Structure formats: structure tokens, C-alpha cells
Amino acid sequence: MLSIRRHPKLVLVLLCAAAVLAARPTDDAVHTGDGADGGTATQVARLYQDAEVATRQYEKGRRAVEAQRAEAERLEALLDQQRQEIAVLHEDLGRIVRAQYRDGGGLPLTAQLMLSGDPEELMRGQHVLSKTNQAVSNAIGKSRRAEEQLAADEAKAAAAWQDLEKQNAALAELKQDIERKLERARGQLQGEADASAAAGNCRGAVRLDQPEQHFTQPWVAPVETYEMSAGFGSGGARWANRHTGQDFAVPIGTPVRSVGEGRVVRVSCGGAFGIEIVLQHPGGYYTQYAHLASVAVDQGESVVPGQWIGQAGTTGNSTGPHLHFEVRVTPELGSGVNPVPWLETRGVPL
């Protein structure tokens, strides 16, 4: 840990930062329970939200620590500069004392006046010397008082710094605990999804708590964060001809969004696509979302841009967790167009 140089401003800044860290989310409250409704899909969705909140809080805390570290270093440099100036004053005082000694400064002023050839010049010199001595003494006294105040604040600053790091460590542990719970819940969710897909029997919509929507565009990406993997038209041993959509590599349970306004025309389980949803959009296009772990809508429902319609998984003909996304001119396989330029022309670059 960085050694804190003593400075009263640092105490205040550190205490304020610690107070920010200590304030846990209110509107973004972390849910650490097991899901009151008992649904694994709902539990996973809530844990995703909790992990996002905890990550934001952890990052805020980490930035606060780094900011205080930089502030401590800046104040340390200022204090070193102040000490250098004090050292220069001490050297000046030493020169004055030595000059006094050489010029008879050790004699009483009366004796110096009797021996001086120019008493008036001597008195002027004594006056200047007195003012110089007084200025140096004042500077040294001021510096000494400042050092004493800074020394008194050192313990407070150190305690504030330790509290800051303790709060940040607690947030990191909370984040890790949520991620561990999320990993276990993902496995359970995928197991339930595999059983449903194998039986060809969809379990029905799991009503996820929808986040507040802030979309200003009519079209959005099907997942918020992702890595693009297999693209449209690419070859592979797992496809009969060419890949018919765009894959987005995401963890199991990742919320899947409707890319635009539309209506659910198909919810099905089993087969190569596992659990899938097909939406119809104005203008005659359809979008498909496949290899899901759960669905959050029923056939016939209307959806809006960005609405959570399901959760990504790895059901069906899948080698790992991802969302298979298609844009079609009919609801059926084989009528797909490249989703990437299709979304780009609608203001959604991938």
C-alpha cells in the first residue's frame, strides 16, 4: 500500500470516497436470494442483473482508489517541495548567523556602536538583519505548525485509506459470490432446457422482469454484449449446406432481445435448433432466435424493440453457448438473408 504523506485535504477526500463506496445500491439492489418464484430462468436473469450492478459498483470503487492514489502522490510531491523550501530557509539563516559571527555579531550592540566607524550604517544593518531573522523565524514557525497538523492527520488518512480498500475488497467478494451463484444456476438452467428440448415439449413462457427501456431507435442488436462467431454463409461440418444465420457467442442465460417491433409466430423445442423463437416484423421480414435455454414469450404475443424474449443457451445442434440469429423473408428455414448488413441498414452496426 502506498505510504500516505500527511495532508488534511487527503483525509477529507478519502473519507468522501469511502462514503461513496459504503453506499450499496438502492434502486439497483442486489438480489442474493434463490428466486422467490422458484424459476431457474428467473433466478439466472436476476443474477445477471445483480452481477452487472456489482460490477459497476466494483469498478466505481476501483476508480475511487486509483483517484485517491493519484491525489496522495500529488500531495506528497507538494509536501516535498515545501520541505525543500524550508531547507533553503534554514541555509539562509545559517549564512546570516555565520556572517554575524564574522562581523562581530557576538558582541553586544553597545560595544559594536563604540567600535564602529559609522554607527548609523551599523544600525541600518542591524535593522535589516533583525527583519531577516524575523522573517526566517516566522517561516520556520509556520512550517513547524503545519508539520504538527499534518502529523495529527496522518492516522486519520491511513484509516480512511484502509477503509477505502476494505470496501473495495468487499465489493469484489460480492461480485465473485454472485458470479459463482450465476455459474451454478446456468448449469441448472441448461439441464432443464436440454430435458425440454429432448422431449420436444416447451415448458411455456418464463416471465422475466423486464428492464427499463431507453431505446430511441426502432431496431437493436439481439444481445447487448457478445462476440460474433460463425457468420452467414460460412461452411462447417455441422451444417448440411451453409450457415444460415449469424452466431453470437454469449454465456448461458444471457437475455435475448427482440431486434424490433413484431409478433411471436413460433415457439418450438427440439430438432437442430433446440429451443427457438420466430418473430414477424412489419415490412415482411422474420427473425429467428435459436439454441435458447428458455423463452419469455408465448406464441401470438406482440413484442417491442429490446424486449427480453428469452435466454441464450446451447440446446439442439450446438457445440457451445451462443445465440443463433437469422433474418428471413418467410418464417421457414431456407429463406434467410445475411443478418449483419440487414441490421446495419437499420442503424444497428455489429
Side-chain angles (χ1 to χ4, degrees), residues 188-206 267-271 274-276 292-295 315-316:
Q188 183 178 346
L189 177 62
Q190 185 59 46
E192 294 173 358
D194 288 338
S196 178
N201 180 28
C202 292
R203 292 171 292 154
V206 176
V267 176
S268 63
C269 301
I275 299 175
E276 66 166 327
L292 302 176
S294 79
V295 296
T315 54

Short mmCIF file of all heavy atoms in Angstrom, two decimals, residues 188-206 267-271 274-276 292-295 315-316:
data_model
loop_
_atom_site.label_atom_id
_atom_site.label_comp_id
_atom_site.label_asym_id
_atom_site.label_seq_id
_atom_site.Cartn_x
_atom_site.Cartn_y
_atom_site.Cartn_z
N GLN A 188 -27.88 -25.44 -14.09
CA GLN A 188 -29.22 -25.97 -13.82
C GLN A 188 -30.19 -25.59 -14.93
O GLN A 188 -31.00 -26.41 -15.39
CB GLN A 188 -29.73 -25.44 -12.48
CG GLN A 188 -31.10 -26.00 -12.09
CD GLN A 188 -31.55 -25.51 -10.72
OE1 GLN A 188 -30.76 -24.97 -9.95
NE2 GLN A 188 -32.82 -25.71 -10.42
N LEU A 189 -30.11 -24.32 -15.38
CA LEU A 189 -30.99 -23.85 -16.45
C LEU A 189 -30.77 -24.65 -17.73
O LEU A 189 -31.74 -25.07 -18.39
CB LEU A 189 -30.75 -22.37 -16.71
CG LEU A 189 -31.53 -21.74 -17.86
CD1 LEU A 189 -33.03 -21.80 -17.59
CD2 LEU A 189 -31.09 -20.30 -18.09
N GLN A 190 -29.51 -24.89 -18.08
CA GLN A 190 -29.22 -25.63 -19.31
C GLN A 190 -29.69 -27.07 -19.19
O GLN A 190 -30.19 -27.66 -20.16
CB GLN A 190 -27.73 -25.57 -19.62
CG GLN A 190 -27.35 -26.21 -20.95
CD GLN A 190 -28.05 -25.57 -22.13
OE1 GLN A 190 -28.11 -24.35 -22.24
NE2 GLN A 190 -28.61 -26.39 -23.03
N GLY A 191 -29.55 -27.66 -18.01
CA GLY A 191 -30.04 -29.03 -17.81
C GLY A 191 -31.54 -29.13 -18.03
O GLY A 191 -32.03 -30.07 -18.68
N GLU A 192 -32.28 -28.18 -17.50
CA GLU A 192 -33.73 -28.16 -17.70
C GLU A 192 -34.07 -27.94 -19.16
O GLU A 192 -35.01 -28.56 -19.70
CB GLU A 192 -34.36 -27.06 -16.84
CG GLU A 192 -34.24 -27.30 -15.34
CD GLU A 192 -34.70 -26.10 -14.52
OE1 GLU A 192 -35.08 -25.08 -15.13
OE2 GLU A 192 -34.69 -26.18 -13.27
N ALA A 193 -33.30 -27.06 -19.83
CA ALA A 193 -33.55 -26.79 -21.25
C ALA A 193 -33.27 -28.02 -22.10
O ALA A 193 -34.03 -28.34 -23.02
CB ALA A 193 -32.69 -25.61 -21.71
N ASP A 194 -32.18 -28.74 -21.79
CA ASP A 194 -31.86 -29.95 -22.55
C ASP A 194 -32.96 -30.99 -22.42
O ASP A 194 -33.33 -31.65 -23.40
CB ASP A 194 -30.53 -30.53 -22.06
CG ASP A 194 -29.34 -29.69 -22.50
OD1 ASP A 194 -29.47 -28.92 -23.47
OD2 ASP A 194 -28.27 -29.78 -21.84
N ALA A 195 -33.48 -31.13 -21.21
CA ALA A 195 -34.56 -32.10 -20.99
C ALA A 195 -35.80 -31.72 -21.79
O ALA A 195 -36.48 -32.56 -22.38
CB ALA A 195 -34.88 -32.18 -19.50
N SER A 196 -36.11 -30.41 -21.80
CA SER A 196 -37.28 -29.94 -22.54
C SER A 196 -37.09 -30.15 -24.04
O SER A 196 -38.02 -30.60 -24.73
CB SER A 196 -37.49 -28.45 -22.24
OG SER A 196 -38.59 -27.95 -22.96
N ALA A 197 -35.89 -29.83 -24.55
CA ALA A 197 -35.64 -29.99 -25.99
C ALA A 197 -35.66 -31.46 -26.38
O ALA A 197 -36.17 -31.82 -27.46
CB ALA A 197 -34.30 -29.36 -26.34
N ALA A 198 -35.11 -32.33 -25.54
CA ALA A 198 -35.09 -33.75 -25.84
C ALA A 198 -36.51 -34.32 -25.90
O ALA A 198 -36.81 -35.20 -26.72
CB ALA A 198 -34.27 -34.50 -24.80
N ALA A 199 -37.37 -33.79 -25.03
CA ALA A 199 -38.76 -34.26 -25.02
C ALA A 199 -39.59 -33.58 -26.09
O ALA A 199 -40.72 -34.02 -26.37
CB ALA A 199 -39.37 -34.00 -23.65
N GLY A 200 -39.07 -32.52 -26.72
CA GLY A 200 -39.83 -31.77 -27.71
C GLY A 200 -41.02 -31.06 -27.11
O GLY A 200 -42.01 -30.79 -27.80
N ASN A 201 -40.93 -30.74 -25.83
CA ASN A 201 -42.05 -30.15 -25.11
C ASN A 201 -41.60 -28.84 -24.46
O ASN A 201 -40.82 -28.85 -23.51
CB ASN A 201 -42.56 -31.13 -24.05
CG ASN A 201 -43.73 -30.57 -23.27
OD1 ASN A 201 -44.48 -29.74 -23.78
ND2 ASN A 201 -43.88 -31.01 -22.04
N CYS A 202 -42.07 -27.72 -24.96
CA CYS A 202 -41.70 -26.42 -24.39
C CYS A 202 -42.42 -26.23 -23.05
O CYS A 202 -43.59 -26.58 -22.91
CB CYS A 202 -42.08 -25.29 -25.33
SG CYS A 202 -41.10 -25.27 -26.86
N ARG A 203 -41.71 -25.67 -22.09
CA ARG A 203 -42.25 -25.51 -20.74
C ARG A 203 -43.13 -24.28 -20.59
O ARG A 203 -43.68 -24.04 -19.53
CB ARG A 203 -41.09 -25.42 -19.74
CG ARG A 203 -40.31 -26.71 -19.57
CD ARG A 203 -39.08 -26.48 -18.74
NE ARG A 203 -38.10 -25.65 -19.43
CZ ARG A 203 -37.20 -24.90 -18.83
NH1 ARG A 203 -37.19 -24.83 -17.51
NH2 ARG A 203 -36.34 -24.20 -19.52
N GLY A 204 -43.25 -23.48 -21.63
CA GLY A 204 -44.04 -22.26 -21.54
C GLY A 204 -43.18 -21.07 -21.17
O GLY A 204 -42.02 -21.21 -20.77
N ALA A 205 -43.75 -19.91 -21.31
CA ALA A 205 -43.00 -18.67 -21.12
C ALA A 205 -42.65 -18.45 -19.65
O ALA A 205 -43.48 -18.67 -18.76
CB ALA A 205 -43.80 -17.48 -21.64
N VAL A 206 -41.42 -18.06 -19.42
CA VAL A 206 -40.97 -17.62 -18.09
C VAL A 206 -40.96 -16.10 -18.11
O VAL A 206 -40.20 -15.49 -18.86
CB VAL A 206 -39.56 -18.17 -17.77
CG1 VAL A 206 -39.09 -17.63 -16.43
CG2 VAL A 206 -39.55 -19.68 -17.78
N VAL A 267 -42.94 -20.65 -31.29
CA VAL A 267 -42.11 -21.05 -30.16
C VAL A 267 -42.06 -22.57 -30.21
O VAL A 267 -43.11 -23.22 -30.11
CB VAL A 267 -42.70 -20.58 -28.81
CG1 VAL A 267 -41.85 -21.11 -27.66
CG2 VAL A 267 -42.78 -19.07 -28.75
N SER A 268 -40.87 -23.13 -30.40
CA SER A 268 -40.79 -24.57 -30.53
C SER A 268 -39.55 -25.12 -29.83
O SER A 268 -38.60 -24.37 -29.54
CB SER A 268 -40.77 -24.98 -32.01
OG SER A 268 -39.60 -24.46 -32.64
N CYS A 269 -39.57 -26.40 -29.54
CA CYS A 269 -38.46 -27.08 -28.87
C CYS A 269 -38.13 -28.36 -29.62
O CYS A 269 -39.01 -28.98 -30.22
CB CYS A 269 -38.85 -27.43 -27.43
SG CYS A 269 -39.30 -26.01 -26.42
N GLY A 270 -36.87 -28.76 -29.56
CA GLY A 270 -36.45 -29.99 -30.23
C GLY A 270 -35.92 -29.71 -31.62
O GLY A 270 -36.05 -28.61 -32.16
N GLY A 271 -35.25 -30.71 -32.19
CA GLY A 271 -34.67 -30.55 -33.51
C GLY A 271 -33.32 -29.87 -33.47
O GLY A 271 -32.75 -29.62 -32.41
N GLY A 274 -32.97 -26.67 -31.38
CA GLY A 274 -33.29 -26.74 -29.97
C GLY A 274 -34.51 -25.90 -29.65
O GLY A 274 -35.54 -25.99 -30.32
N ILE A 275 -34.41 -25.06 -28.62
CA ILE A 275 -35.50 -24.16 -28.27
C ILE A 275 -35.34 -22.89 -29.12
O ILE A 275 -34.29 -22.26 -29.11
CB ILE A 275 -35.47 -23.81 -26.77
CG1 ILE A 275 -35.62 -25.09 -25.93
CG2 ILE A 275 -36.55 -22.81 -26.43
CD1 ILE A 275 -35.48 -24.87 -24.45
N GLU A 276 -36.41 -22.53 -29.87
CA GLU A 276 -36.30 -21.39 -30.78
C GLU A 276 -37.56 -20.53 -30.74
O GLU A 276 -38.64 -20.98 -30.36
CB GLU A 276 -36.05 -21.86 -32.21
CG GLU A 276 -37.22 -22.64 -32.80
CD GLU A 276 -37.13 -22.83 -34.31
OE1 GLU A 276 -36.61 -21.92 -34.98
OE2 GLU A 276 -37.62 -23.85 -34.80
N LEU A 292 -31.88 -21.65 -27.59
CA LEU A 292 -32.17 -20.95 -26.34
C LEU A 292 -32.20 -21.91 -25.16
O LEU A 292 -32.35 -23.12 -25.31
CB LEU A 292 -33.51 -20.22 -26.45
CG LEU A 292 -33.65 -19.19 -27.57
CD1 LEU A 292 -35.06 -18.63 -27.59
CD2 LEU A 292 -32.62 -18.08 -27.43
N ALA A 293 -32.09 -21.33 -23.96
CA ALA A 293 -32.24 -22.08 -22.72
C ALA A 293 -33.63 -21.88 -22.12
O ALA A 293 -34.09 -22.70 -21.32
CB ALA A 293 -31.18 -21.66 -21.70
N SER A 294 -34.28 -20.77 -22.47
CA SER A 294 -35.65 -20.52 -22.01
C SER A 294 -36.30 -19.51 -22.93
O SER A 294 -35.61 -18.79 -23.67
CB SER A 294 -35.67 -20.01 -20.57
OG SER A 294 -35.35 -18.64 -20.52
N VAL A 295 -37.63 -19.46 -22.88
CA VAL A 295 -38.38 -18.45 -23.62
C VAL A 295 -39.18 -17.63 -22.63
O VAL A 295 -39.61 -18.12 -21.57
CB VAL A 295 -39.30 -19.09 -24.68
CG1 VAL A 295 -38.49 -19.82 -25.73
CG2 VAL A 295 -40.31 -20.03 -24.02
N THR A 315 -28.94 -25.50 -26.65
CA THR A 315 -29.80 -26.64 -26.96
C THR A 315 -29.72 -26.95 -28.45
O THR A 315 -29.35 -26.11 -29.27
CB THR A 315 -31.26 -26.34 -26.59
OG1 THR A 315 -31.67 -25.11 -27.21
CG2 THR A 315 -31.43 -26.21 -25.08
N GLY A 316 -30.10 -28.17 -28.81
CA GLY A 316 -30.10 -28.59 -30.20
C GLY A 316 -28.71 -28.88 -30.72
O GLY A 316 -27.81 -29.31 -29.99
#
